[in-house]
Amino acid sequence: VEAWLLADLHNMADFLSLTPQDLPSNVEALAHPKEEIVRLAALSPNADVKNNLVPRLGSTATTGRLFNRCLAGFVRDLWDVDAAAANADSLARALRELRAFKPS
């Protein structure tokens, strides 16, 4: 799921206060996309992004305490599924199947 979120390069870059060029172009090749979001958040000049998405120094957590809440807000307010599908073939395939689905 995190790879699909990263696939919306422009909106994710805005969310993280970075540029689209800072984000990986082939998100589906990432072994650990959640870790990539945390890594990118650590580079953000936005203190709120860092505080919410990056675990505190010395913590055993892999994400910040508000990671899920912040990404849920990103999905609700900013994420463009069609833009993401243009950069993530697996998402494009999933959308095609969902749109073609006809319950019996």
Side-chain angles (χ1 to χ4, degrees):
V1 170
E2 286 85 0
W4 290 355
L5 300 182
L6 283 165
D8 180 4
L9 298 174
H10 293 284
N11 286 322
M12 180 58 81
D14 285 346
F15 174 70
L16 296 172
S17 299
L18 299 172
T19 68
Q21 293 76 22
D22 294 323
L23 276 64
S25 58
N26 188 1
V27 296
E28 293 187 303
L30 295 170
H32 304 284
K34 183 181 288 190
E35 291 175 13
E36 181 66 8
I37 291 174
V38 172
R39 184 189 75 77
L40 291 166
L43 299 174
S44 176
N46 184 317
D48 287 336
V49 167
K50 286 183 186 179
N51 290 335
N52 295 333
L53 301 179
V54 179
R56 296 183 191 268
L57 190 62
S59 171
T60 59
T62 57
T63 63
R65 61 186 179 80
L66 297 177
F67 184 87
N68 289 332
R69 182 181 294 176
C70 288
L71 287 185
F74 168 74
V75 169
R76 182 187 64 242
D77 299 333
L78 299 171
W79 190 54
D80 181 342
V81 67
D82 294 316
N87 290 318
D89 188 55
S90 63
L91 177 57
R93 289 191 317 269
L95 287 173
R96 270 194 307 274
E97 292 298 318
L98 286 170
R99 288 173 177 153
F101 177 70
K102 299 201 182 353
S104 54

